[in-house]
Amino acid sequence: MRQKTRRVLLYVSLFLFPVTMNFLSPYVSIDGAFAGVLSGSAILFLLLFLSGLFFGRGWCGWVCPAGGLAELCQTLNPKPVNAKRLRVVRYSIFAVWFGVLMTGFILAGGVHGVDPLRLTERYVSVDEPVKYILYYLVLGSFFVLDLALGRRGACHSICWMSPFLSAGMAAGRLLHLPQLHVRAKAEQCIDCKKCNSKCPMSIDVNAAVKTGSVKSCDCILCGECVSVCPKAVLSYRNKG
Ligand code: SF4
Ligand code: SF4
Ligand code: SF4
């Protein structure tokens, strides 16, 4: 039931992507930065950082439209990925993008205003035919990477949002905030590795179980491992 609900939420989010695209856009936030304005997407990135403090990367497992696309692609290519190698690519892309964003705010002399609907005056991101080109370009890139690289390949390689979530997650742990995570009762584990085969983020859950919890910054709290474990080893916990 939990996994069905999660998938429905992700598919609804994917369906609404023509409406929400600008609020997740790295371009819109840069456009705002050079004008000294906090756009809708810049605000969302800040909110992602804040959500990371308490919910880790739950956004990725339950809300993000790209997560919905990844779930579909995973049925076509369920191959696990080399997350470590792809992380280098992702953070390199992020460093360039974030650098441009900060440069924009510095050149503009800081933040002078807030405009949540910047470049989205009609409340819908894809509000004219030409914007479908951008929409299909974004969707197509994620689709190709998910298919070519394997499970959530695009999330691992090009996502500009996950570093905000990961930073929030790390800060939450540092501050010992009550943060949602997956806990394990190691003594009950029979090493069947069903959790590994189900994990959409290619985490070695079986190895993490030995440490008492899943600490990986890649964990998106989807709960696939919790649902599949035949010995109820894994469960959600919310402790600092
Ligand atoms: S990693 Fe990025 S693209 Fe993937 S689900 Fe998370 S926020 Fe969305
Ligand atoms: S599915 Fe459960 S029992 Fe099997 S390896 Fe994973 S944690 Fe252990
Ligand atoms: S470790 Fe479990 S909760 Fe985390 S991403 Fe993998 S399957 Fe989902």
Side-chain angles (χ1 to χ4, degrees):
M1 183 63 189
R2 181 195 291 136
Q3 292 309 320
K4 270 191 192 156
T5 309
R6 189 178 70 81
R7 284 200 183 91
V8 168
L9 290 174
L10 288 176
Y11 294 149
V12 169
S13 177
L14 177 60
F15 180 71
L16 291 175
F17 190 48
V19 179
T20 59
M21 185 175 72
N22 281 0
F23 300 99
L24 310 170
S25 163
Y27 171 73
V28 174
S29 52
I30 284 175
D31 179 76
F34 278 88
V37 167
L38 268 186
S39 64
S41 62
I43 295 168
L44 183 97
F45 299 148
L46 279 173
L47 291 176
L48 288 184
F49 172 79
L50 294 177
S51 84
L53 293 172
F54 301 98
F55 301 107
R57 286 184 61 182
W59 160 275
C60 301
W62 292 80
V63 187
C64 183
L69 185 64
E71 292 282 334
L72 291 173
C73 292
Q74 199 176 313
T75 59
L76 301 170
N77 184 3
K79 194 181 74 165
V81 301
N82 184 332
K84 264 189 194 164
R85 199 180 299 164
L86 291 176
R87 196 172 297 145
V88 177
V89 180
R90 180 162 43 108
Y91 276 94
S92 303
I93 294 172
F94 178 78
V96 173
W97 169 70
F98 195 68
V100 175
L101 185 75
M102 288 299 116
T103 306
F105 280 122
I106 291 166
L107 290 179
V111 179
H112 308 299
V114 178
D115 182 7
L117 291 177
R118 190 173 184 82
L119 303 182
T120 324
E121 288 77 14
R122 286 185 222 159
Y123 305 101
V124 174
S125 303
V126 184
D127 58 357
E128 51 187 282
V130 71
K131 293 197 181 156
Y132 269 103
I133 298 172
L134 189 62
Y135 170 74
Y136 283 120
L137 209 66
V138 174
L139 223 53
S141 311
F142 273 75
F143 182 73
V144 167
L145 285 167
D146 283 342
L147 281 193
L149 298 174
R151 288 182 213 175
R152 291 210 176 217
C155 293
H156 285 288
S157 59
I158 58 162
C159 178
W160 56 90
M161 295 174 278
S162 58
F164 291 104
L165 292 157
S166 299
M169 192 178 186
R173 284 182 188 171
L174 210 66
L175 298 169
H176 299 289
L177 296 176
Q179 189 179 87
L180 195 64
H181 64 282
V182 174
R183 207 179 65 169
K185 292 178 192 153
E187 65 285 357
Q188 284 173 215
C189 179
I190 55 169
D191 293 319
C192 67
K193 300 201 175 176
K194 284 185 179 172
C195 46
N196 283 14
S197 64
K198 271 282 181 182
C199 179
M201 293 303 280
S202 313
I203 296 168
D204 188 346
V205 189
N206 180 229
V209 162
K210 316 287 184 238
T211 69
S213 66
V214 179
K215 295 184 184 78
S216 169
C217 62
D218 285 330
C219 178
I220 58 173
L221 297 173
C222 64
E224 287 277 8
C225 56
V226 178
S227 301
V228 80
C229 179
K231 294 289 174 188
V233 171
L234 299 150
S235 59
Y236 284 114
R237 278 290 178 277
N238 194 16
K239 279 195 178 161

